[in-house]
Amino acid sequence: MKGSFIMMVVVVVSLLNCYVECEGCLEEEKSLLLQLKSSLNRSIESSVALSDWAGQNCCEWGGVSCSNTTSRVFKLLLGTVGQEGPDVLNSKESVNILAQFKELQYLVLSGNRMGGSDILQAFCKMHHLKLLLLYSTSLEGKIPHCIRKMHSLQVLNLAGNQLQGNIPLSTFSDMHLLQELDLSGNQLQGIISPFTFSNMHSLQKLDLSENQLQEIISPSTFNNLTMLTDLSLSNNHFVGTIPFSMFANLSKLVSLDLSNNYQLEVETESPNWVPHFRLTNLNLANCKLNRLSGSIVPSFLSTQHTLKFLDLSNSSLAGYIPSYLLYNSTQRLVLRRNSLSGPFPLPHQNTTSLLTALDISNNLVNGSLPENFVDLFPLLVYCDMSANALQGNLPPKMGIGNLQFLSLSDNRFYGEMPPGLMKCINMGYLVLSNNRLQGEMLPGNVSMEGLVCLELDGNEFTTPPNISKTPYLVILNIRNNHLSGNISLGCLCISI
């Protein structure tokens, strides 16, 4: 008797498995998918993502995923619908259809022009959603309070729309499971209250960039976001002064972007504080740094040994450039448009830089470049040191290696072109304008096959360049030198 019962269970389970595997999807949800397909305001045949929505097993249709146990649709990826044309989901009708999927957890509609000022509110009834991507869907109006009822949401992306008004005070603070929130690229206004995100203990990524948020940021705004790894507040209208120490206890923070808040002052030196984070990306460009403490380069950066990208451009900095910025783990360093001075930084010990991009243009750096510049920066691809007070001969091996972009214009370099520049086969852009360089521009043995732009104007060269081996050259500026003769480029002859 016991054996018969077990046998019966096995048969039932087998039949159920066959039903799940053979039938594929439930008939009721297949019908819903076909209704959704017909709700598109364009010809079905021209829709790339929905063109294969045919056949018995809807779980095999493009962008559709079903549960292995219930056969119900749990994931819909329709974010590529608008790839080749103006697909428009008939807003309310489509959302009402979507709300009938009982186990739908992941929904991607990005790129569809849904529009409407109340369409976002229609999603609030989808209580089981874990991921909702609605970026670039032409959403309008205010963020509805009812979003707070979507308690299961872990990822919400509303970027690139036309959402307006304030960020609702308590809407997001009740979403305890939310890990990623992206509201960037909208028209949100007003202030960020300290209570707006206060209870979001799971939040890891928060992007409020490219809005119209304003007023002062309270130092306590992000205190409780202890899981936060990425924070972007760039391209807003924040004003006043904030202490950088407000981020000190966010121990998991790796990326912070406050850039392009032109009236925002950031103080990193006072009061004394110890950073508990290890940043990999920091962007403070176009903010005002350390106005109350001598506009110095933030000293806490000496503790950031994992920093890969640093942009402090146009941030009112003055004083010397600390050498650790050039010779630690940083790969991209941007310090342009400040008042930084002193000699070019050298390493404190026998070490080489990991920099692939260096921009210290439009500063007051003076003196000569080290003769072993190429050895110190073996990975450098992009280098802009224009508009400084650098002088002396160019390093003899300058240009050898990976360098593709080099601008040393508007300095005080003199002497002849270094031999290294004759062998820079990777160089695409070479700009040495407005110095005191002399002699032959490019000799006959030059090997610069990849050169696209050559600007040597405003120097004291006497012999025109040999550009017969630069087949891709499209920009040539050699005005205001002491040249005579012709320049030959194949059958083309350009008079000087």
Side-chain angles (χ1 to χ4, degrees):
M1 192 72 169
K2 183 177 180 182
S4 299
F5 175 77
I6 294 174
M7 202 56 184
M8 185 181 299
V9 171
V10 170
V11 170
V12 171
V13 170
S14 298
L15 288 173
L16 287 173
N17 286 337
C18 181
Y19 173 78
V20 170
E21 294 176 6
C22 300
E23 294 298 324
C25 66
L26 301 181
E27 194 62 34
E28 63 181 275
E29 299 202 333
K30 178 181 176 181
S31 176
L32 290 174
L33 290 172
L34 292 175
Q35 291 179 49
L36 184 65
K37 179 178 180 178
S38 65
S39 72
L40 283 173
N41 291 341
R42 64 172 290 180
S43 62
I44 297 173
E45 290 75 21
S46 61
S47 179
V48 176
L50 305 184
S51 59
D52 68 343
W53 279 25
Q56 287 298 114
N57 189 358
C58 64
C59 294
E60 295 179 352
W61 294 356
V64 180
S65 296
C66 300
S67 167
N68 290 330
T69 55
T70 66
S71 285
R72 290 192 177 277
V73 174
F74 76 94
K75 182 187 296 183
L76 281 175
L77 307 179
L78 305 179
T80 59
V81 173
Q83 210 170 41
E84 293 195 0
D87 291 287
V88 181
L89 286 173
N90 189 332
S91 302
K92 286 188 176 180
E93 177 187 349
S94 301
V95 177
N96 288 334
I97 295 171
L98 290 167
Q100 297 179 57
F101 289 93
K102 297 181 180 180
E103 294 185 12
L104 187 60
Q105 298 179 37
Y106 304 91
L107 180 58
V108 178
L109 297 173
S110 305
N112 291 281
R113 294 189 295 107
M114 302 187 69
S117 58
D118 58 351
I119 184 62
L120 189 54
Q121 188 167 354
F123 286 91
C124 292
K125 64 186 75 172
M126 300 184 189
H127 299 259
H128 299 294
L129 280 183
K130 294 182 179 180
L131 178 144
L132 178 58
L133 304 188
L134 296 175
Y135 60 84
S136 299
T137 50
S138 302
L139 295 174
E140 301 174 353
K142 296 183 178 181
I143 298 174
H145 288 279
C146 65
I147 285 184
R148 66 194 298 179
K149 298 178 181 179
M150 303 178 75
H151 297 296
S152 298
L153 265 185
Q154 297 175 13
V155 178
L156 176 60
N157 192 320
L158 304 176
N161 288 293
Q162 290 89 48
L163 296 172
Q164 301 173 345
N166 297 328
I167 300 176
L169 183 61
S170 58
T171 295
F172 296 109
S173 62
D174 290 338
M175 302 175 73
H176 303 300
L177 299 180
L178 199 63
Q179 298 176 18
E180 298 183 21
L181 176 60
D182 192 340
L183 302 176
S184 63
N186 282 284
Q187 300 168 20
L188 299 172
Q189 302 171 332
I191 64 174
I192 301 178
S193 166
F195 306 103
T196 304
F197 309 109
S198 57
N199 295 322
M200 301 179 71
H201 302 297
S202 300
L203 195 63
Q204 298 175 20
K205 297 182 179 181
L206 176 61
D207 193 342
L208 303 177
S209 63
E210 297 184 57
N211 279 286
Q212 299 171 20
L213 299 169
Q214 54 199 34
E215 302 301 329
I216 296 175
I217 305 173
S218 170
S220 61
T221 302
F222 308 107
N223 275 359
N224 294 332
L225 305 183
T226 55
M227 301 299 291
L228 201 63
T229 63
D230 297 74
L231 175 62
S232 180
L233 305 175
S234 66
N235 293 280
N236 278 285
H237 305 304
F238 294 117
V239 298
T241 303
I242 62 169
F244 202 84
S245 57
M246 65 187 285
F247 307 111
N249 293 325
L250 302 181
S251 60
K252 296 185 181 297
L253 193 66
V254 295
S255 179
L256 177 61
D257 191 347
L258 303 178
S259 65
N260 302 323
N261 285 288
Y262 291 88
Q263 301 303 315
L264 181 65
E265 297 187 9
V266 181
E267 286 292 329
T268 68
E269 304 308 301
S270 179
N272 293 328
W273 58 284
V274 177
H276 293 135
F277 50 69
R278 293 183 177 181
L279 297 177
T280 59
N281 298 278
L282 177 61
N283 194 340
L284 300 177
N286 296 309
C287 298
K288 299 177 181 178
L289 283 179
N290 294 332
R291 186 179 63 86
L292 301 178
S293 50
S295 301
I296 62 172
V297 173
S299 59
F300 81 90
L301 293 174
S302 64
T303 68
Q304 301 303 296
H305 303 299
T306 58
L307 199 61
K308 304 298 182 185
F309 171 78
L310 176 63
D311 191 342
L312 303 179
S313 58
N314 196 31
S315 54
S316 304
L317 291 175
Y320 287 12
I321 301 175
S323 63
Y324 59 77
L325 289 186
L326 279 68
Y327 303 99
N328 59 7
S329 60
T330 308
Q331 297 174 5
R332 297 176 57 198
L333 176 62
V334 186
L335 301 173
R336 64 172 174 263
R337 296 190 180 279
N338 283 291
S339 298
L340 296 166
S341 58
F344 185 85
L346 297 175
H348 292 307
Q349 53 187 357
N350 188 20
T351 185
T352 56
S353 174
L354 298 178
L355 283 174
T356 60
L358 172 64
D359 189 344
I360 60 171
S361 61
N362 291 274
N363 277 283
L364 303 171
V365 181
N366 55 51
S368 59
L369 293 177
E371 286 201 359
N372 62 339
F373 182 89
V374 173
D375 298 323
L376 292 175
F377 299 92
L379 305 179
L380 203 59
V381 174
Y382 180 100
C383 181
D384 190 347
M385 296 187 281
S386 60
N388 276 282
L390 294 167
Q391 60 185 1
N393 289 293
L394 294 175
K397 294 196 294 184
M398 182 65 103
I400 294 178
N402 299 304
L403 207 56
Q404 297 177 16
F405 181 102
L406 176 62
S407 179
L408 300 174
S409 63
D410 298 286
N411 279 286
R412 302 170 188 171
F413 291 111
Y414 52 77
E416 298 184 348
M417 295 281 277
L421 283 176
M422 307 304 111
K423 303 174 184 177
C424 49
I425 58 175
N426 295 315
M427 188 74 71
Y429 293 80
L430 177 59
V431 184
L432 302 176
S433 309
N434 301 316
N435 281 283
R436 301 171 187 171
L437 300 170
Q438 57 191 6
E440 192 174 4
M441 282 185 170
L442 294 181
N445 62 343
V446 67
S447 178
M448 303 179 74
E449 290 86 354
L451 200 61
V452 175
C453 172
L454 178 63
E455 298 191 39
L456 302 176
D457 55 299
N459 280 285
E460 299 174 6
F461 290 112
T462 54
T463 305
N466 184 327
I467 53 177
S468 59
K469 296 181 181 180
T470 54
Y472 302 108
L473 191 65
V474 294
I475 299 175
L476 176 62
N477 188 352
I478 55 175
R479 294 175 296 180
N480 300 318
N481 279 282
H482 304 310
L483 303 175
S484 61
N486 297 320
I487 302 176
S488 296
L489 181 58
C491 62
L492 180 64
C493 186
I494 304 174
S495 295
I496 304 170

